[in-house]
Amino acid sequence: MSTLDTSSTGLAALLSPGTVRSTVLPVVRQQVSALEPTLARVCSYHLGFTDEHGDLSGAANGKLTRAALMTAAAQGVGLRPEDVRSQAAALELLHNSTLIHDDIIDADELRRGRPAAWKVFGASLAILAGDALQALSLQMVVDDPGPGRAEISCAFAEANRLVLAGQSREFTVRLGSGAGIAEYDRIVEEKTSALLQCALVTPALRAGSPEHVLAALRGAGRHLGLAFQIFNDVEDIWGDPAVTGKPVRGDIERRNPSLPVLAALSAGGPAGERLRGLWQAGGTTAAHLQEIADLTEEAGGRHTAEQRSRDHLDSALEHLGRAGLTPAASAELTALFDRIVNRTA
Amino acid sequence: MSTLDTSSTGLAALLSPGTVRSTVLPVVRQQVSALEPTLARVCSYHLGFTDEHGDLSGAANGKLTRAALMTAAAQGVGLRPEDVRSQAAALELLHNSTLIHDDIIDADELRRGRPAAWKVFGASLAILAGDALQALSLQMVVDDPGPGRAEISCAFAEANRLVLAGQSREFTVRLGSGAGIAEYDRIVEEKTSALLQCALVTPALRAGSPEHVLAALRGAGRHLGLAFQIFNDVEDIWGDPAVTGKPVRGDIERRNPSLPVLAALSAGGPAGERLRGLWQAGGTTAAHLQEIADLTEEAGGRHTAEQRSRDHLDSALEHLGRAGLTPAASAELTALFDRIVNRTA
């Protein structure tokens, strides 16, 4: 499990064609360009606005998944996209702050098909740039004077806290004794679900929705994150790098908690036991990773993971149904959930 | 100019003996201990609560300069220390988040006489720990439901933004073309003054003080930061490492913007010109650094810097006088300003 990035192309276009991108990206661009010039340069590069020399670039900006969720959820509680524009931009910035630091932590040299920010500008400036995006995100939210300001600020602060807790918990598991499935779920809920929940809940906080709506949206975000991350783990092992945009088996090479592997390990049996030895031995050659993949599949880990991802997606949609959003927004979010989890074009 | 840390001992004791420490430290400790366990361990170590094994430690926690300023300013606008306890703790956490990251950026191996967090736990966990303290600080502020919540949240977010802008600006100057005195002042206002201003202004925001009081306190914090930083630059070159607690001439070795050097360079003359060549050549042996020190003094840089530090302290006190705080608090802050700048016991 690595930090998720739904880059590549096309997702935002699903949702009221171009609305998300044209609503949110100009705010992101304007806010980032107003940073101290060196920070602006690093952040604009990371976000695909510019190349390493500061010249305009046509690089991918990311799919704006969280902004798309927030925009659709806004429509679902009777708001316009503009009513949460600043928050949607802020959430994308918060997400990107974690990506910049994560690439340093994981020594990942590529992000969205280009050298990661730390490879281009050095770790020191990348640390400051990640800090600056985190700070900017929170500043945009606390400065926005609209309805629900305090509640939305708290939701962002809590999501920020949870993501960092999840990253640290994952890092600790990776270093140490390994995780069980309960620990895996907790890490994903913190690291992945928290920002998706923030995306879904923010418009409801702005609209003053009742608690049962907030609870339903939180539940939807929680299960969406789990479905997404588990599918991502399956793709890390058996996916096509041309589709995922990431090196094959990078997560298991790094011994990140991976649900197919955890499921195979907990299944026991001879394949599971051989897998345990191989997993703990730490080999990272292609042959090692292939054998881990084969044993994981043989022990039923792939099947279990695929089933769990589908179950979590079903649960996410069930919670979404309970939120009582407008039918058009519910349909839009349903399609969006499906695309987020299954990366269909 | 390095990131300032007023560690060692004794400052807080000045101010209503033990009040700051006994009011603020328990909140800091409790908040940090509630972090995800690995983050809690790194942060507790950095803050001197525990050693690297997580056992209780009697290490220095820092002087709580910013908490002391906030507590005294609270008394000055008719509040009790408890009324800004959470904000005072949050400001110390924000300051410490910058120290943890700064030590990584500068590859500083020592902090408050102990190995820096990144030396003990690795850069990855230190990055996450700094992020977590930044997030926690903002969360404490936005979650606090007391008066002036929105305004205080904005003040913290702005201070956070400014510190990062200043750090990046300093880093850029260090890499590149060097700074003039105007650029130096701007960096210090961002990197050093911003948190001091936040400390002084927060109680006034809580008390609903009028704009002229806020402006006076902002001015006091601005000049206090400049006076402090310039004195620090003088101490870096000519101070006693046993008093400063830092390696002698670490800042000029690193070619950080340093006011005595900038003043000597801008003075021109033969000493200034020889200094320019030496400064740009980048030599870092003790002999090089000694020659830089001697030429800086010969060109009048030390004298100018000492004068500027005194002038800024006078201006800080002048602004403080305009804030119309209670006489007792004004006297306390006057003594505190003097001790912060001159590091008198």
Side-chain angles (χ1 to χ4, degrees):
Chain A
M1 165 173 64
S2 64
T3 292
L4 296 166
D5 182 23
T6 47
S7 318
S8 313
T9 50
L11 188 64
L14 164 75
L15 185 101
S16 7
T19 303
V20 175
R21 196 159 287 274
S22 66
T23 306
V24 174
L25 265 192
V27 180
V28 170
R29 190 189 300 262
Q30 183 265 319
Q31 289 286 341
V32 165
S33 68
L35 290 170
E36 182 277 331
T38 301
L39 295 174
R41 193 157 152 236
V42 180
C43 294
S44 294
Y45 170 82
H46 168 80
L47 289 161
F49 296 138
T50 50
D51 65 18
E52 61 269 45
H53 309 296
D55 297 324
L56 286 182
S57 145
N61 309 121
K63 277 187 177 179
L64 305 178
T65 303
R66 290 149 197 82
L69 286 171
M70 197 186 288
T71 305
Q75 294 170 324
V77 294
L79 300 178
R80 298 163 306 163
E82 306 89 88
D83 295 326
V84 293
R85 172 163 41 199
S86 179
Q87 289 71 23
L91 191 59
E92 289 294 334
L93 292 174
L94 186 57
H95 172 55
N96 278 284
S97 82
T98 70
L99 298 182
I100 292 176
H101 282 186
D102 237 37
D103 287 341
I104 307 171
I105 291 169
D106 291 343
D108 270 338
E109 302 194 353
L110 280 181
R111 169 67 61 187
R112 296 176 190 137
R114 302 191 307 162
W118 70 271
K119 281 295 285 181
V120 177
F121 300 98
S124 294
L125 280 178
I127 290 171
L128 289 175
D131 287 347
L133 286 192
Q134 183 182 333
L136 175 58
S137 168
L138 270 293
Q139 184 166 31
M140 288 168 70
V141 169
V142 302
D143 281 357
D144 183 289
R149 174 188 199 174
E151 292 75 13
I152 293 170
S153 298
C154 292
F156 268 73
E158 175 69 359
N160 191 11
R161 180 186 76 76
L162 287 170
V163 170
L164 292 164
Q167 290 182 296
S168 177
R169 216 180 295 277
E170 181 183 37
F171 192 84
T172 306
V173 164
R174 201 197 288 171
L175 289 180
S177 53
I181 288 178
E183 180 79 348
Y184 173 93
D185 282 356
R186 180 170 187 180
I187 291 170
V188 175
E189 284 168 28
E190 291 173 334
K191 195 179 143 156
T192 308
S193 298
L195 292 186
L196 303 177
Q197 291 176 304
C198 183
L200 292 171
V201 161
T202 292
L205 293 171
R206 174 127 290 181
S209 303
E211 178 53 36
H212 77 273
V213 172
L214 300 173
L217 292 169
R218 277 189 211 105
R222 187 170 84 80
H223 287 289
L224 177 63
L226 284 158
F228 179 24
Q229 183 64 64
I230 294 168
F231 188 83
N232 198 67
D233 290 351
V234 171
E235 282 213 315
D236 175 67
I237 306 179
W238 297 284
D240 176 358
V243 174
T244 65
K246 297 194 292 189
V248 70
R249 296 171 185 159
D251 287 333
I252 60 168
E253 179 177 345
R254 203 173 271 144
R255 298 302 192 268
N256 271 339
S258 163
L259 194 98
V261 174
L262 295 177
L265 291 174
S266 74
E273 287 314 309
R274 268 158 55 215
L275 175 63
R276 186 180 309 280
L278 209 60
W279 183 256
Q280 289 171 347
T284 58
T285 64
H288 274 115
L289 300 180
Q290 183 64 48
E291 201 177 346
I292 286 175
D294 292 344
L295 288 169
T296 299
E297 189 151 14
E298 193 182 329
R302 179 178 189 170
H303 176 78
T304 302
E306 287 173 346
Q307 185 61 49
R308 279 181 85 97
S309 177
R310 279 193 299 272
D311 289 349
H312 279 301
L313 179 55
D314 289 345
S315 297
L317 293 171
E318 200 181 307
H319 280 86
L320 179 65
R322 285 190 217 134
L325 305 185
T326 62
S330 281
E332 202 159 84
L333 282 166
T334 298
L336 197 48
F337 280 19
D338 190 62
R339 288 186 183 218
I340 289 170
V341 173
N342 295 305
R343 295 183 191 274
T344 48
Chain B
M1 169 172 64
S2 64
T3 292
L4 295 167
D5 182 23
T6 47
S7 320
S8 316
T9 51
L11 187 64
L14 163 74
L15 186 101
S16 9
T19 303
V20 175
R21 198 159 286 273
S22 66
T23 306
V24 174
L25 265 193
V27 180
V28 170
R29 191 188 298 263
Q30 184 265 321
Q31 289 286 341
V32 166
S33 69
L35 289 171
E36 182 277 331
T38 301
L39 295 174
R41 194 159 150 231
V42 180
C43 295
S44 295
Y45 169 82
H46 168 80
L47 289 161
F49 296 138
T50 51
D51 65 18
E52 62 268 46
H53 309 296
D55 297 324
L56 287 182
S57 146
N61 310 121
K63 277 188 178 177
L64 305 179
T65 302
R66 291 149 196 82
L69 286 171
M70 198 186 287
T71 305
Q75 294 170 324
V77 294
L79 300 178
R80 299 164 306 163
E82 305 89 88
D83 295 326
V84 294
R85 172 164 43 196
S86 179
Q87 290 71 25
L91 191 59
E92 289 294 335
L93 292 174
L94 186 56
H95 172 55
N96 278 283
S97 82
T98 70
L99 298 182
I100 292 177
H101 282 185
D102 237 37
D103 287 342
I104 307 172
I105 291 169
D106 290 344
D108 270 338
E109 301 193 354
L110 281 181
R111 169 68 61 186
R112 296 176 191 136
R114 302 192 306 162
W118 69 271
K119 280 296 283 182
V120 177
F121 300 99
S124 294
L125 280 179
I127 291 172
L128 289 176
D131 288 347
L133 286 192
Q134 182 182 335
L136 175 58
S137 168
L138 270 294
Q139 184 167 31
M140 287 168 71
V141 169
V142 302
D143 281 358
D144 183 290
R149 174 189 198 173
E151 293 75 13
I152 294 170
S153 298
C154 292
F156 268 72
E158 175 69 359
N160 192 11
R161 180 186 75 76
L162 287 170
V163 170
L164 293 164
Q167 289 182 295
S168 177
R169 217 181 293 279
E170 181 183 36
F171 192 84
T172 307
V173 163
R174 200 197 292 172
L175 289 180
S177 53
I181 289 178
E183 179 79 347
Y184 173 93
D185 282 355
R186 180 169 188 182
I187 291 170
V188 175
E189 284 168 26
E190 291 173 332
K191 195 179 142 158
T192 308
S193 298
L195 292 186
L196 304 176
Q197 291 176 304
C198 183
L200 292 170
V201 162
T202 292
L205 293 171
R206 173 128 291 180
S209 302
E211 178 53 36
H212 78 271
V213 173
L214 300 174
L217 292 169
R218 277 190 211 105
R222 187 170 84 80
H223 287 289
L224 178 62
L226 284 158
F228 180 23
Q229 184 64 64
I230 293 169
F231 188 83
N232 199 67
D233 291 351
V234 172
E235 283 214 314
D236 175 68
I237 305 179
W238 297 284
D240 177 357
V243 175
T244 64
K246 296 194 292 188
V248 71
R249 295 172 185 159
D251 287 334
I252 60 168
E253 179 178 345
R254 204 174 272 143
R255 299 302 193 265
N256 271 340
S258 164
L259 196 99
V261 174
L262 295 177
L265 291 174
S266 74
E273 287 314 309
R274 268 159 54 216
L275 175 62
R276 186 180 310 280
L278 210 58
W279 183 256
Q280 289 171 347
T284 57
T285 65
H288 274 115
L289 300 180
Q290 183 63 49
E291 201 178 346
I292 286 175
D294 292 343
L295 288 169
T296 298
E297 188 151 13
E298 192 183 331
R302 180 178 188 169
H303 176 78
T304 302
E306 287 172 344
Q307 186 60 50
R308 279 181 85 97
S309 178
R310 279 193 299 273
D311 289 349
H312 279 301
L313 179 55
D314 289 345
S315 298
L317 293 170
E318 200 180 307
H319 279 86
L320 180 65
R322 286 190 216 134
L325 306 185
T326 62
S330 282
E332 202 158 81
L333 282 166
T334 298
L336 198 47
F337 280 20
D338 190 61
R339 290 186 182 218
I340 289 170
V341 173
N342 295 307
R343 295 183 190 274
T344 48

